Amino acid sequence: MSAAHDLVVVGAGPAGAAAALAAADAGLDVLVVDEQRAAGGQILRTTPPEFGGRRKLPTGYPWAGELLDRARSHPGIAWRHGATVFGILPVTADASSAGGADASAGPGSADGADASAGPASAGFDVLTSDPADPAGSGRVRARRVLIASGAYDMPVAIPGWTLPGVMMAGAVQGFLKSQRLRVADRVVLAGSHPLLLIVADQLLAAGARIEEVAIARGIPSPVELLRALPAVPGHVRLLGELAGCVLRLLRAGVRISTGTVPTEVLGDGRVQGVRLARADRGWRQTGPARTVEADALVLGYGFHPSTELARQLGCALDWDSAQGGWIVRHDAQLETTVPGVHVAGEPSGVAGAEQSRAEGELAGLTIAAALGRPVPERALAGARRRIRSASRFSGVVQRMFAPRREALLELATPATEICRCETVTRSTIDGFLDENPFAGTADAVKLACRSGMGPCQGRYCESAVAGLVAKARGTGVGEAGRFAAHIPVKPVPLQAYVALADDPAEVP
């Protein structure tokens, strides 16, 4: 087991980097673990230094460069890149004493934690896997843990979505940012999130031919635009960047269709076309579909928070569709229902980079205060003020572009694969629910149909499975529940378990 740290941060995006910097500035010893080669997360991802040239960061986030530079060079922050956190284990008081962690790691009065939430933990063992460096695999002892693991694209199952060439907007953007790789020559983009327009503009700049951008929602009404005005102050540059994307697309002759949804992906062994149809304000198809030839379909309907580690630890979650689905319950100090475990960024609700950075800053400060470091009240007040400012913008985005999940679920036909890993079709799930009227949870379907038991552990099918349960039982997705998460929360080599064998009794 490597040396103990005051704080281990999972994720090096805006939330994780800001939290690490705030905590280290307050005197904590911080370790940041992230799967990517460099800090920044998806939103601040750049090409590797081997590509040469200047680092190019999004123009809407003027603070990004300074944040990453300060965090990278801070002597109080250690970095472990290319490593996966596949589980987190609470440490008992006896194990803490043996391992050198401070038993005072439980929540104190400084962060306002509620002692009724459960017994204070004596620390945590963070389980890591680094296939490229065996020394990076094993247990890391932490007094506190911050989960800032970001989010992943919201999957939408439609006929043909398993064909090569169907990709999510975040993945396409990742290829462009990190490898300057254009995924296809002729592209159709379909979804409802503003990111879709940014990705279309980036593909256009990379030389792709954008055949069409199909937006599910209609043009905002005057009332919606009026309600969106509070989002403008402080976010002019970000809104200007989005407007610039739209203007460049229109100047290039790209067709941007509102009130339009994809109904089928066509092709033999690969994407060769997409069927698009008009939709009403509830995103339900209203007319015949037309075919648009393309080599790729990019889907962008929003994001789901990455909450697997929080689930595995036993943190309470709440269902909020507009904020991304299942989000981790937390207090005003961003501490979860498991004392000593905090969240920041998308796991607390998908709200974008600006709010993620502010939440990370507040989490880092409150963790430092809870561990006895002096934290000025003005610093805490400043972080809370930045969260409030960012939430005015994120709230408008969540309200205007919230996915109509029931309508999207209707796009899947009986033969459509809901669970790609285990090739489970909608008819299989619907048939099980028809034959078992007392089965009313997503986990029940998982146990019976194997949906969610593959390598992705349900990331691509959980929301659809829960939606089918809710539809069959006349309940909400929150009542249908979610899949349980166990160690390992992601596939890791067996070598990662071998590295834990210094204490076989504790190997999960």
Side-chain angles (χ1 to χ4, degrees):
M1 183 173 64
S2 59
H5 298 270
D6 293 322
L7 172 64
V8 170
V9 178
V10 183
L21 186 59
D25 278 346
L28 296 190
D29 170 40
V30 182
L31 171 68
V32 182
V33 185
D34 189 78
E35 293 180 337
Q36 304 304 319
R37 293 180 57 186
Q42 172 70 0
I43 187 65
L44 304 181
R45 186 193 297 261
T46 58
T47 54
E50 291 85 355
F51 279 67
R54 294 180 58 190
R55 178 181 65 185
K56 185 178 180 181
L57 294 168
T59 57
Y61 306 106
W63 43 264
E66 181 183 3
L67 170 65
L68 296 181
D69 290 342
R70 288 191 60 211
R72 288 193 194 102
S73 61
H74 200 293
I77 304 175
W79 298 87
R80 187 172 292 181
H81 289 294
T84 296
V85 174
F86 63 92
I88 303 175
L89 298 172
V91 178
T92 64
D94 290 342
S96 173
S97 299
D102 189 341
S104 67
S109 58
D111 64 356
D114 184 353
S116 65
S121 170
F124 302 89
D125 277 350
V126 180
L127 312 181
T128 66
S129 171
D130 185 350
D133 180 12
S137 298
R139 261 183 292 229
V140 179
R141 181 64 51 83
R143 297 174 67 190
R144 292 276 175 134
V145 171
L146 173 69
I147 299 173
S149 45
Y152 52 90
D153 292 85
M154 172 184 167
V156 176
I158 63 176
W161 77 306
T162 57
L163 281 171
V166 179
M167 300 185 67
M168 301 299 173
V172 172
Q173 190 182 53
F175 277 121
L176 286 168
K177 287 183 174 182
S178 64
Q179 298 297 319
R180 297 177 186 169
L181 177 64
R182 187 179 70 237
V183 298
D185 292 326
R186 300 178 303 162
V187 184
V188 169
L189 298 96
S192 60
H193 196 275
L195 176 66
L196 202 67
L197 295 167
I198 297 175
V199 174
D201 180 54
Q202 292 170 337
L203 282 168
L204 184 68
R209 177 175 174 177
I210 309 302
E211 299 294 344
E212 189 165 342
V213 179
I215 307 296
R217 62 155 296 141
I219 297 174
S221 67
V223 173
E224 285 182 297
L225 293 174
L226 187 63
R227 293 178 64 192
L229 287 178
V232 176
H235 300 92
V236 174
R237 293 181 66 173
L238 191 60
L239 293 170
E241 181 182 15
L242 183 61
C245 291
V246 174
L247 286 175
R248 286 187 291 272
L249 291 170
L250 293 175
R251 286 171 182 166
V254 174
R255 178 175 181 177
I256 302 177
S257 305
T258 58
T260 305
V261 294
T263 61
E264 186 180 3
V265 187
L266 307 174
D268 182 11
R270 62 178 179 85
V271 174
Q272 293 173 303
V274 180
R275 300 276 285 169
L276 300 174
R278 295 292 299 168
D280 60 21
R281 294 186 67 84
W283 299 11
R284 287 179 167 83
Q285 182 178 348
T286 58
R290 52 186 171 83
T291 300
V292 180
E293 294 184 357
D295 304 314
L297 170 64
V298 179
L299 296 172
Y301 286 94
F303 301 92
H304 283 167
S306 180
T307 61
E308 293 77 21
L309 286 171
R311 299 185 194 196
Q312 176 259 307
L313 269 166
C315 302
L317 276 73
D318 297 305
W319 174 259
D320 189 321
S321 180
Q323 292 195 63
W326 289 106
I327 62 175
V328 184
R329 189 181 303 169
H330 58 280
D331 61 18
Q333 285 71 41
L334 295 162
E335 187 169 21
T336 72
T337 55
V338 174
V341 178
H342 305 250
V343 290
E346 315 299 32
S348 70
V350 176
E354 187 79 39
Q355 187 163 330
S356 293
R357 176 187 67 127
E359 288 184 359
E361 181 184 9
L362 179 62
L365 293 171
T366 55
I367 292 169
L371 295 181
R373 301 305 195 275
V375 175
E377 180 57 37
R378 66 178 181 276
L380 294 167
R384 294 189 181 103
R385 183 176 62 253
R386 284 183 280 277
I387 290 176
R388 289 193 298 270
S389 174
S391 67
R392 288 194 292 271
F393 179 81
S394 63
V396 168
V397 174
Q398 291 165 357
R399 184 171 62 249
M400 292 185 67
F401 301 98
R404 304 294 181 94
R405 296 175 187 269
E406 298 84 357
L408 294 175
L409 190 61
E410 292 178 7
L411 295 173
T413 65
T416 302
E417 287 185 2
I418 298 297
C419 174
R420 303 175 60 150
C421 298
E422 298 292 327
T423 63
V424 181
T425 64
R426 174 171 183 166
S427 63
T428 299
I429 296 172
D430 285 340
F432 166 75
L433 292 171
D434 289 342
E435 296 169 5
N436 297 272
F438 298 106
T441 65
D443 253 343
V445 175
K446 176 181 179 180
L447 292 172
C449 303
R450 294 194 57 82
S451 51
M453 289 191 178
C456 86
Q457 289 292 285
R459 289 171 178 83
Y460 270 73
C461 68
E462 180 189 68
S463 61
V465 170
L468 291 174
V469 173
K471 179 180 176 62
R473 301 295 176 253
T475 62
V477 175
E479 288 73 29
R482 59 188 185 275
F483 296 155
H486 305 284
I487 295 175
V489 299
K490 289 185 176 181
V492 294
L494 287 176
Q495 180 63 35
Y497 275 79
V498 174
L500 303 177
D502 58 325
D503 188 352
E506 291 189 16
V507 175

PDB file of all heavy atoms in Angstrom, residues 385-412:
ATOM      1  N   ARG A 385     -20.548  31.758  -3.915  1.00  0.00           N
ATOM      2  CA  ARG A 385     -21.064  32.774  -4.837  1.00  0.00           C
ATOM      3  C   ARG A 385     -20.856  32.328  -6.288  1.00  0.00           C
ATOM      4  O   ARG A 385     -21.741  32.514  -7.134  1.00  0.00           O
ATOM      5  CB  ARG A 385     -20.359  34.100  -4.578  1.00  0.00           C
ATOM      6  CG  ARG A 385     -20.894  35.253  -5.442  1.00  0.00           C
ATOM      7  CD  ARG A 385     -20.238  36.568  -5.082  1.00  0.00           C
ATOM      8  NE  ARG A 385     -18.799  36.558  -5.301  1.00  0.00           N
ATOM      9  CZ  ARG A 385     -17.888  36.516  -4.335  1.00  0.00           C
ATOM     10  NH1 ARG A 385     -18.254  36.478  -3.059  1.00  0.00           N
ATOM     11  NH2 ARG A 385     -16.592  36.501  -4.631  1.00  0.00           N
ATOM     12  N   ARG A 386     -19.715  31.729  -6.577  1.00  0.00           N
ATOM     13  CA  ARG A 386     -19.453  31.265  -7.937  1.00  0.00           C
ATOM     14  C   ARG A 386     -20.374  30.095  -8.315  1.00  0.00           C
ATOM     15  O   ARG A 386     -20.768  29.960  -9.476  1.00  0.00           O
ATOM     16  CB  ARG A 386     -17.976  30.884  -8.087  1.00  0.00           C
ATOM     17  CG  ARG A 386     -17.060  32.106  -8.209  1.00  0.00           C
ATOM     18  CD  ARG A 386     -15.621  31.728  -8.430  1.00  0.00           C
ATOM     19  NE  ARG A 386     -14.961  31.350  -7.197  1.00  0.00           N
ATOM     20  CZ  ARG A 386     -14.426  32.212  -6.325  1.00  0.00           C
ATOM     21  NH1 ARG A 386     -14.519  33.517  -6.549  1.00  0.00           N
ATOM     22  NH2 ARG A 386     -13.818  31.788  -5.239  1.00  0.00           N
ATOM     23  N   ILE A 387     -20.722  29.271  -7.341  1.00  0.00           N
ATOM     24  CA  ILE A 387     -21.671  28.192  -7.613  1.00  0.00           C
ATOM     25  C   ILE A 387     -23.035  28.772  -7.952  1.00  0.00           C
ATOM     26  O   ILE A 387     -23.697  28.335  -8.902  1.00  0.00           O
ATOM     27  CB  ILE A 387     -21.766  27.236  -6.405  1.00  0.00           C
ATOM     28  CG1 ILE A 387     -20.471  26.442  -6.253  1.00  0.00           C
ATOM     29  CG2 ILE A 387     -22.955  26.280  -6.568  1.00  0.00           C
ATOM     30  CD1 ILE A 387     -20.442  25.540  -5.031  1.00  0.00           C
ATOM     31  N   ARG A 388     -23.466  29.762  -7.189  1.00  0.00           N
ATOM     32  CA  ARG A 388     -24.775  30.372  -7.465  1.00  0.00           C
ATOM     33  C   ARG A 388     -24.801  31.006  -8.848  1.00  0.00           C
ATOM     34  O   ARG A 388     -25.791  30.887  -9.584  1.00  0.00           O
ATOM     35  CB  ARG A 388     -25.109  31.420  -6.392  1.00  0.00           C
ATOM     36  CG  ARG A 388     -25.446  30.835  -5.031  1.00  0.00           C
ATOM     37  CD  ARG A 388     -26.075  31.889  -4.134  1.00  0.00           C
ATOM     38  NE  ARG A 388     -25.172  33.010  -3.878  1.00  0.00           N
ATOM     39  CZ  ARG A 388     -24.312  33.056  -2.864  1.00  0.00           C
ATOM     40  NH1 ARG A 388     -24.226  32.028  -2.014  1.00  0.00           N
ATOM     41  NH2 ARG A 388     -23.535  34.110  -2.688  1.00  0.00           N
ATOM     42  N   SER A 389     -23.727  31.684  -9.206  1.00  0.00           N
ATOM     43  CA  SER A 389     -23.667  32.318 -10.519  1.00  0.00           C
ATOM     44  C   SER A 389     -23.713  31.274 -11.634  1.00  0.00           C
ATOM     45  O   SER A 389     -24.451  31.417 -12.612  1.00  0.00           O
ATOM     46  CB  SER A 389     -22.387  33.155 -10.636  1.00  0.00           C
ATOM     47  OG  SER A 389     -22.226  33.679 -11.939  1.00  0.00           O
ATOM     48  N   ALA A 390     -22.923  30.222 -11.480  1.00  0.00           N
ATOM     49  CA  ALA A 390     -22.892  29.179 -12.503  1.00  0.00           C
ATOM     50  C   ALA A 390     -24.222  28.436 -12.584  1.00  0.00           C
ATOM     51  O   ALA A 390     -24.645  28.019 -13.673  1.00  0.00           O
ATOM     52  CB  ALA A 390     -21.762  28.201 -12.218  1.00  0.00           C
ATOM     53  N   SER A 391     -24.891  28.276 -11.444  1.00  0.00           N
ATOM     54  CA  SER A 391     -26.147  27.522 -11.439  1.00  0.00           C
ATOM     55  C   SER A 391     -27.258  28.255 -12.180  1.00  0.00           C
ATOM     56  O   SER A 391     -28.208  27.621 -12.653  1.00  0.00           O
ATOM     57  CB  SER A 391     -26.576  27.223  -9.999  1.00  0.00           C
ATOM     58  OG  SER A 391     -26.925  28.414  -9.314  1.00  0.00           O
ATOM     59  N   ARG A 392     -27.158  29.574 -12.289  1.00  0.00           N
ATOM     60  CA  ARG A 392     -28.161  30.302 -13.077  1.00  0.00           C
ATOM     61  C   ARG A 392     -28.083  29.888 -14.545  1.00  0.00           C
ATOM     62  O   ARG A 392     -29.107  29.754 -15.218  1.00  0.00           O
ATOM     63  CB  ARG A 392     -27.960  31.812 -12.937  1.00  0.00           C
ATOM     64  CG  ARG A 392     -28.360  32.372 -11.570  1.00  0.00           C
ATOM     65  CD  ARG A 392     -28.471  33.882 -11.610  1.00  0.00           C
ATOM     66  NE  ARG A 392     -27.172  34.529 -11.792  1.00  0.00           N
ATOM     67  CZ  ARG A 392     -26.368  34.889 -10.802  1.00  0.00           C
ATOM     68  NH1 ARG A 392     -26.742  34.673  -9.540  1.00  0.00           N
ATOM     69  NH2 ARG A 392     -25.210  35.474 -11.043  1.00  0.00           N
ATOM     70  N   PHE A 393     -26.866  29.676 -15.020  1.00  0.00           N
ATOM     71  CA  PHE A 393     -26.683  29.234 -16.403  1.00  0.00           C
ATOM     72  C   PHE A 393     -27.043  27.762 -16.556  1.00  0.00           C
ATOM     73  O   PHE A 393     -27.806  27.379 -17.452  1.00  0.00           O
ATOM     74  CB  PHE A 393     -25.232  29.470 -16.828  1.00  0.00           C
ATOM     75  CG  PHE A 393     -24.936  29.028 -18.230  1.00  0.00           C
ATOM     76  CD1 PHE A 393     -25.263  29.830 -19.304  1.00  0.00           C
ATOM     77  CD2 PHE A 393     -24.321  27.805 -18.474  1.00  0.00           C
ATOM     78  CE1 PHE A 393     -24.995  29.434 -20.603  1.00  0.00           C
ATOM     79  CE2 PHE A 393     -24.057  27.396 -19.769  1.00  0.00           C
ATOM     80  CZ  PHE A 393     -24.394  28.215 -20.836  1.00  0.00           C
ATOM     81  N   SER A 394     -26.513  26.910 -15.668  1.00  0.00           N
ATOM     82  CA  SER A 394     -26.765  25.476 -15.791  1.00  0.00           C
ATOM     83  C   SER A 394     -28.235  25.150 -15.619  1.00  0.00           C
ATOM     84  O   SER A 394     -28.766  24.239 -16.278  1.00  0.00           O
ATOM     85  CB  SER A 394     -25.930  24.698 -14.770  1.00  0.00           C
ATOM     86  OG  SER A 394     -26.300  25.032 -13.438  1.00  0.00           O
ATOM     87  N   GLY A 395     -28.928  25.898 -14.765  1.00  0.00           N
ATOM     88  CA  GLY A 395     -30.353  25.653 -14.568  1.00  0.00           C
ATOM     89  C   GLY A 395     -31.155  25.905 -15.834  1.00  0.00           C
ATOM     90  O   GLY A 395     -32.093  25.165 -16.153  1.00  0.00           O
ATOM     91  N   VAL A 396     -30.794  26.960 -16.572  1.00  0.00           N
ATOM     92  CA  VAL A 396     -31.476  27.257 -17.835  1.00  0.00           C
ATOM     93  C   VAL A 396     -31.219  26.137 -18.845  1.00  0.00           C
ATOM     94  O   VAL A 396     -32.144  25.670 -19.530  1.00  0.00           O
ATOM     95  CB  VAL A 396     -31.017  28.612 -18.389  1.00  0.00           C
ATOM     96  CG1 VAL A 396     -31.488  28.794 -19.828  1.00  0.00           C
ATOM     97  CG2 VAL A 396     -31.539  29.745 -17.523  1.00  0.00           C
ATOM     98  N   VAL A 397     -29.974  25.688 -18.948  1.00  0.00           N
ATOM     99  CA  VAL A 397     -29.641  24.612 -19.883  1.00  0.00           C
ATOM    100  C   VAL A 397     -30.399  23.343 -19.520  1.00  0.00           C
ATOM    101  O   VAL A 397     -30.969  22.659 -20.386  1.00  0.00           O
ATOM    102  CB  VAL A 397     -28.115  24.357 -19.896  1.00  0.00           C
ATOM    103  CG1 VAL A 397     -27.785  23.133 -20.751  1.00  0.00           C
ATOM    104  CG2 VAL A 397     -27.382  25.579 -20.418  1.00  0.00           C
ATOM    105  N   GLN A 398     -30.424  23.018 -18.237  1.00  0.00           N
ATOM    106  CA  GLN A 398     -31.143  21.812 -17.809  1.00  0.00           C
ATOM    107  C   GLN A 398     -32.628  21.907 -18.126  1.00  0.00           C
ATOM    108  O   GLN A 398     -33.239  20.927 -18.580  1.00  0.00           O
ATOM    109  CB  GLN A 398     -30.937  21.601 -16.306  1.00  0.00           C
ATOM    110  CG  GLN A 398     -29.521  21.214 -15.920  1.00  0.00           C
ATOM    111  CD  GLN A 398     -29.261  21.364 -14.438  1.00  0.00           C
ATOM    112  OE1 GLN A 398     -30.128  21.820 -13.676  1.00  0.00           O
ATOM    113  NE2 GLN A 398     -28.075  20.985 -13.998  1.00  0.00           N
ATOM    114  N   ARG A 399     -33.202  23.074 -17.912  1.00  0.00           N
ATOM    115  CA  ARG A 399     -34.636  23.241 -18.134  1.00  0.00           C
ATOM    116  C   ARG A 399     -34.985  23.216 -19.623  1.00  0.00           C
ATOM    117  O   ARG A 399     -35.965  22.581 -20.036  1.00  0.00           O
ATOM    118  CB  ARG A 399     -35.100  24.554 -17.509  1.00  0.00           C
ATOM    119  CG  ARG A 399     -36.602  24.793 -17.596  1.00  0.00           C
ATOM    120  CD  ARG A 399     -37.018  25.997 -16.775  1.00  0.00           C
ATOM    121  NE  ARG A 399     -36.418  27.240 -17.240  1.00  0.00           N
ATOM    122  CZ  ARG A 399     -35.506  27.930 -16.572  1.00  0.00           C
ATOM    123  NH1 ARG A 399     -35.059  27.488 -15.398  1.00  0.00           N
ATOM    124  NH2 ARG A 399     -35.012  29.063 -17.062  1.00  0.00           N
ATOM    125  N   MET A 400     -34.175  23.884 -20.448  1.00  0.00           N
ATOM    126  CA  MET A 400     -34.502  24.005 -21.867  1.00  0.00           C
ATOM    127  C   MET A 400     -34.191  22.749 -22.664  1.00  0.00           C
ATOM    128  O   MET A 400     -34.829  22.485 -23.687  1.00  0.00           O
ATOM    129  CB  MET A 400     -33.758  25.200 -22.477  1.00  0.00           C
ATOM    130  CG  MET A 400     -34.214  26.543 -21.975  1.00  0.00           C
ATOM    131  SD  MET A 400     -33.408  27.920 -22.836  1.00  0.00           S
ATOM    132  CE  MET A 400     -34.081  27.747 -24.498  1.00  0.00           C
ATOM    133  N   PHE A 401     -33.204  21.969 -22.206  1.00  0.00           N
ATOM    134  CA  PHE A 401     -32.755  20.843 -23.018  1.00  0.00           C
ATOM    135  C   PHE A 401     -32.896  19.508 -22.294  1.00  0.00           C
ATOM    136  O   PHE A 401     -32.219  18.536 -22.646  1.00  0.00           O
ATOM    137  CB  PHE A 401     -31.300  21.061 -23.456  1.00  0.00           C
ATOM    138  CG  PHE A 401     -31.111  22.313 -24.259  1.00  0.00           C
ATOM    139  CD1 PHE A 401     -30.649  23.476 -23.657  1.00  0.00           C
ATOM    140  CD2 PHE A 401     -31.425  22.336 -25.607  1.00  0.00           C
ATOM    141  CE1 PHE A 401     -30.483  24.648 -24.393  1.00  0.00           C
ATOM    142  CE2 PHE A 401     -31.261  23.498 -26.359  1.00  0.00           C
ATOM    143  CZ  PHE A 401     -30.792  24.654 -25.752  1.00  0.00           C
ATOM    144  N   ALA A 402     -33.758  19.449 -21.282  1.00  0.00           N
ATOM    145  CA  ALA A 402     -33.979  18.192 -20.571  1.00  0.00           C
ATOM    146  C   ALA A 402     -34.497  17.135 -21.536  1.00  0.00           C
ATOM    147  O   ALA A 402     -35.394  17.397 -22.347  1.00  0.00           O
ATOM    148  CB  ALA A 402     -34.990  18.407 -19.439  1.00  0.00           C
ATOM    149  N   PRO A 403     -33.947  15.929 -21.490  1.00  0.00           N
ATOM    150  CA  PRO A 403     -34.376  14.885 -22.436  1.00  0.00           C
ATOM    151  C   PRO A 403     -35.790  14.397 -22.141  1.00  0.00           C
ATOM    152  O   PRO A 403     -36.184  14.250 -20.982  1.00  0.00           O
ATOM    153  CB  PRO A 403     -33.346  13.773 -22.207  1.00  0.00           C
ATOM    154  CG  PRO A 403     -32.870  13.979 -20.804  1.00  0.00           C
ATOM    155  CD  PRO A 403     -32.885  15.459 -20.584  1.00  0.00           C
ATOM    156  N   ARG A 404     -36.555  14.160 -23.184  1.00  0.00           N
ATOM    157  CA  ARG A 404     -37.880  13.538 -23.066  1.00  0.00           C
ATOM    158  C   ARG A 404     -37.668  12.023 -23.148  1.00  0.00           C
ATOM    159  O   ARG A 404     -37.750  11.411 -24.218  1.00  0.00           O
ATOM    160  CB  ARG A 404     -38.797  14.035 -24.167  1.00  0.00           C
ATOM    161  CG  ARG A 404     -38.963  15.554 -24.230  1.00  0.00           C
ATOM    162  CD  ARG A 404     -39.675  16.099 -22.997  1.00  0.00           C
ATOM    163  NE  ARG A 404     -39.863  17.541 -23.071  1.00  0.00           N
ATOM    164  CZ  ARG A 404     -40.950  18.134 -23.535  1.00  0.00           C
ATOM    165  NH1 ARG A 404     -41.957  17.395 -23.977  1.00  0.00           N
ATOM    166  NH2 ARG A 404     -41.045  19.456 -23.553  1.00  0.00           N
ATOM    167  N   ARG A 405     -37.378  11.445 -22.015  1.00  0.00           N
ATOM    168  CA  ARG A 405     -36.940  10.044 -21.991  1.00  0.00           C
ATOM    169  C   ARG A 405     -38.018   9.073 -22.469  1.00  0.00           C
ATOM    170  O   ARG A 405     -37.703   8.072 -23.130  1.00  0.00           O
ATOM    171  CB  ARG A 405     -36.479   9.672 -20.581  1.00  0.00           C
ATOM    172  CG  ARG A 405     -35.257  10.466 -20.121  1.00  0.00           C
ATOM    173  CD  ARG A 405     -34.882  10.163 -18.675  1.00  0.00           C
ATOM    174  NE  ARG A 405     -33.824  11.045 -18.212  1.00  0.00           N
ATOM    175  CZ  ARG A 405     -32.525  10.769 -18.299  1.00  0.00           C
ATOM    176  NH1 ARG A 405     -32.139   9.618 -18.812  1.00  0.00           N
ATOM    177  NH2 ARG A 405     -31.623  11.628 -17.859  1.00  0.00           N
ATOM    178  N   GLU A 406     -39.273   9.352 -22.147  1.00  0.00           N
ATOM    179  CA  GLU A 406     -40.338   8.436 -22.569  1.00  0.00           C
ATOM    180  C   GLU A 406     -40.433   8.386 -24.087  1.00  0.00           C
ATOM    181  O   GLU A 406     -40.583   7.307 -24.687  1.00  0.00           O
ATOM    182  CB  GLU A 406     -41.682   8.863 -21.967  1.00  0.00           C
ATOM    183  CG  GLU A 406     -41.736   8.834 -20.453  1.00  0.00           C
ATOM    184  CD  GLU A 406     -41.184  10.110 -19.834  1.00  0.00           C
ATOM    185  OE1 GLU A 406     -40.706  10.987 -20.593  1.00  0.00           O
ATOM    186  OE2 GLU A 406     -41.212  10.228 -18.590  1.00  0.00           O
ATOM    187  N   ALA A 407     -40.322   9.540 -24.725  1.00  0.00           N
ATOM    188  CA  ALA A 407     -40.396   9.576 -26.192  1.00  0.00           C
ATOM    189  C   ALA A 407     -39.185   8.906 -26.821  1.00  0.00           C
ATOM    190  O   ALA A 407     -39.301   8.187 -27.824  1.00  0.00           O
ATOM    191  CB  ALA A 407     -40.517  11.021 -26.668  1.00  0.00           C
ATOM    192  N   LEU A 408     -38.011   9.129 -26.270  1.00  0.00           N
ATOM    193  CA  LEU A 408     -36.810   8.505 -26.808  1.00  0.00           C
ATOM    194  C   LEU A 408     -36.878   6.989 -26.668  1.00  0.00           C
ATOM    195  O   LEU A 408     -36.405   6.250 -27.545  1.00  0.00           O
ATOM    196  CB  LEU A 408     -35.569   9.051 -26.097  1.00  0.00           C
ATOM    197  CG  LEU A 408     -35.258  10.529 -26.336  1.00  0.00           C
ATOM    198  CD1 LEU A 408     -34.081  10.976 -25.482  1.00  0.00           C
ATOM    199  CD2 LEU A 408     -34.973  10.802 -27.816  1.00  0.00           C
ATOM    200  N   LEU A 409     -37.473   6.512 -25.578  1.00  0.00           N
ATOM    201  CA  LEU A 409     -37.599   5.073 -25.374  1.00  0.00           C
ATOM    202  C   LEU A 409     -38.493   4.436 -26.440  1.00  0.00           C
ATOM    203  O   LEU A 409     -38.282   3.287 -26.843  1.00  0.00           O
ATOM    204  CB  LEU A 409     -38.171   4.801 -23.980  1.00  0.00           C
ATOM    205  CG  LEU A 409     -38.158   3.355 -23.489  1.00  0.00           C
ATOM    206  CD1 LEU A 409     -36.726   2.829 -23.401  1.00  0.00           C
ATOM    207  CD2 LEU A 409     -38.834   3.262 -22.122  1.00  0.00           C
ATOM    208  N   GLU A 410     -39.472   5.186 -26.928  1.00  0.00           N
ATOM    209  CA  GLU A 410     -40.384   4.665 -27.943  1.00  0.00           C
ATOM    210  C   GLU A 410     -39.691   4.443 -29.287  1.00  0.00           C
ATOM    211  O   GLU A 410     -40.233   3.747 -30.161  1.00  0.00           O
ATOM    212  CB  GLU A 410     -41.568   5.613 -28.124  1.00  0.00           C
ATOM    213  CG  GLU A 410     -42.499   5.663 -26.925  1.00  0.00           C
ATOM    214  CD  GLU A 410     -43.634   6.651 -27.121  1.00  0.00           C
ATOM    215  OE1 GLU A 410     -43.764   7.202 -28.244  1.00  0.00           O
ATOM    216  OE2 GLU A 410     -44.383   6.884 -26.158  1.00  0.00           O
ATOM    217  N   LEU A 411     -38.503   5.015 -29.488  1.00  0.00           N
ATOM    218  CA  LEU A 411     -37.776   4.811 -30.740  1.00  0.00           C
ATOM    219  C   LEU A 411     -37.283   3.369 -30.875  1.00  0.00           C
ATOM    220  O   LEU A 411     -37.024   2.903 -31.980  1.00  0.00           O
ATOM    221  CB  LEU A 411     -36.590   5.768 -30.826  1.00  0.00           C
ATOM    222  CG  LEU A 411     -36.933   7.263 -30.893  1.00  0.00           C
ATOM    223  CD1 LEU A 411     -35.665   8.099 -30.806  1.00  0.00           C
ATOM    224  CD2 LEU A 411     -37.698   7.588 -32.174  1.00  0.00           C
ATOM    225  N   ALA A 412     -37.124   2.669 -29.758  1.00  0.00           N
ATOM    226  CA  ALA A 412     -36.656   1.281 -29.786  1.00  0.00           C
ATOM    227  C   ALA A 412     -37.798   0.348 -30.167  1.00  0.00           C
ATOM    228  O   ALA A 412     -38.851   0.341 -29.525  1.00  0.00           O
ATOM    229  CB  ALA A 412     -36.085   0.887 -28.424  1.00  0.00           C
TER     230      ALA A 412
END
